[in-house]
Amino acid sequence: MTHFSTIGLIGHLNNERAVYSIKRLIRFLQLRNKRFVLEAETAARIVDTDLLSAAHQIVDMDTLGQACDLVIVVGGDGSLLRGARALAKYAVPLLGVNRGRLGFLTDITPEDIENKVDEVLSGQFKSEKRFLLDMEVRRDGQVIATADALNDVVLHPGQFIHMLQFEIAVDDVFVTSQRSDGVIVSTPTGSTAYSLSGGGPILHPTLDAIVVVPMNPHTLSSRPIVVAGHSAISIVVGEHNRAEPMVTCDGHSHVDVQTGDTILIRKKPHMLELLHPLDYNFYERCRSKLGWGGHLLKE
């Protein structure tokens, strides 16, 4: 049996349904006599002083990663992305409760919170490793910005829809130059997110691979490519007229870039561990979330 001694709780900051589920989780953990820690911004959304006083600590995200051996994220995929970027370096596993819309990463439904969390605390779960991407922008040989992403790194025209010019290399080997609305560099985890809407392939989340997806390329021959997970991908920003290009990581971190800047993307050295209930199945998740067809033949 797996023993989680200290549970961390993170909730969607602007979602009353997530706050309600956090309160349910707190009451459940109290009944189980489990020690739990609240992330400070999440705690600020809970006005019930009795529930707040039951927490062992209220801490910032970094302290949460050091203090806990399991973190439960209540919200949508965006909430789990936020937790993953902050906590992956601490090797603390994450478990998701879905209070968002699509919920590819947050498995547990609100009505199953107590049952499914109880199963996980009793050691009944599946564990899966996911990797994140490191991104840095270099200008005149100097690093001017860094960020990371669990889903994707996107070069795009910023506020205005104008084509960009850029060159792509993999492991210092020139691959192609393009004129397009930008490019998405995605992990397998992110292959069911923005990359999918851009025409990229769905990758099984355990694959050691990165997908590069051009956004509305000027030539029909430009197609997504899949490269090895250990690859170093570099994108050199070419000349542009009215566009003010930008790099965005997970739709969260934004960096303005200029002609001649190099965007370097590679896999982070540490992995994220996601926990799933025992009935989790990636292909069933694709069927239910993406509307794939079910069985044609009945037994």
Side-chain angles (χ1 to χ4, degrees):
M1 178 180 294
T2 300
H3 177 67
F4 296 113
S5 60
T6 304
I7 316 299
L9 298 180
I10 303 173
H12 190 295
L13 302 180
N14 298 303
N15 185 326
E16 289 302 325
R17 296 175 303 162
V19 173
Y20 170 76
S21 293
I22 284 279
K23 292 178 179 179
R24 277 181 59 178
L25 262 174
I26 290 174
R27 295 187 184 100
F28 167 74
L29 293 173
Q30 285 181 287
L31 290 174
R32 283 287 305 264
N33 293 316
K34 300 298 291 187
R35 173 188 172 116
F36 68 93
V37 175
L38 278 170
E39 186 259 339
E41 293 186 47
T42 302
R45 299 283 295 160
I46 301 172
V47 297
D48 191 320
T49 54
D50 289 338
L51 294 180
L52 289 175
S53 63
H56 176 71
Q57 286 179 294
I58 296 175
V59 299
D60 60 25
M61 193 74 87
D62 285 328
T63 306
L64 190 82
Q66 299 173 56
C68 300
D69 44 26
L70 171 66
V71 171
I72 302 176
V73 181
V74 181
D77 287 346
S79 299
L80 197 136
L81 292 172
R82 169 180 169 247
R85 290 191 301 267
L87 299 174
K89 61 187 175 184
Y90 297 108
V92 56
L94 303 188
L95 175 69
V97 175
N98 185 26
R99 293 304 328 221
R101 292 185 296 272
L102 195 59
F104 250 100
L105 300 174
T106 48
D107 302 320
I108 298 175
T109 58
E111 57 270 20
D112 287 335
I113 287 178
E114 290 84 1
N115 290 336
K116 293 300 183 182
V117 172
D118 191 48
E119 289 177 6
V120 171
L121 295 182
S122 300
Q124 302 176 58
F125 59 83
K126 294 179 180 178
S127 175
E128 198 171 62
K129 297 288 189 178
R130 307 284 184 97
F131 70 82
L132 293 84
L133 297 174
D134 267 329
M135 185 282 299
E136 62 182 39
V137 177
R138 295 180 179 177
R139 181 174 299 159
D140 299 325
Q142 301 296 316
V143 176
I144 64 164
T146 62
D148 50 13
L150 176 59
N151 267 357
D152 46 48
V153 178
V154 181
L155 171 66
H156 58 96
Q159 300 180 19
F160 305 101
I161 302 175
H162 298 294
M163 278 204 167
L164 300 178
Q165 298 182 63
F166 53 89
E167 293 185 352
I168 299 175
V170 176
D171 294 331
D172 295 324
V173 177
F174 174 73
V175 176
T176 184
S177 60
Q178 284 192 349
R179 282 177 52 84
S180 70
D181 287 349
V183 62
I184 304 165
V185 179
S186 170
T187 66
T189 299
S191 70
T192 53
Y194 193 28
S195 172
L196 181 62
S197 68
I202 293 176
L203 305 183
H204 192 279
T206 59
L207 284 175
D208 185 17
I210 299 171
V211 62
V212 181
V213 181
M215 298 165 59
N216 302 318
H218 193 256
T219 57
L220 296 177
S221 59
S222 293
R223 290 291 182 265
I225 60 172
V226 179
V227 301
H230 58 73
S231 301
I233 300 165
S234 58
I235 303 168
V236 178
V237 181
E239 292 185 1
H240 47 85
N241 295 321
R242 292 176 292 169
E244 298 177 1
M246 181 179 294
V247 178
T248 299
C249 295
D250 280 352
H252 174 74
S253 302
H254 309 283
V255 180
D256 294 324
V257 293
Q258 303 175 1
T259 297
D261 287 356
T262 298
I263 304 154
L264 181 62
I265 303 162
R266 50 195 161 194
K267 182 166 62 173
K268 291 184 79 70
H270 45 257
M271 304 282 282
L272 170 72
E273 182 180 8
L274 285 184
L275 302 189
H276 305 286
L278 287 178
D279 59 359
Y280 167 81
N281 180 283
F282 173 70
Y283 301 109
E284 187 282 327
R285 182 58 52 89
C286 289
R287 284 195 301 274
S288 63
K289 301 297 183 181
L290 301 179
W292 289 0
H295 288 290
L296 294 176
L297 301 178
K298 305 293 184 181
E299 295 183 359

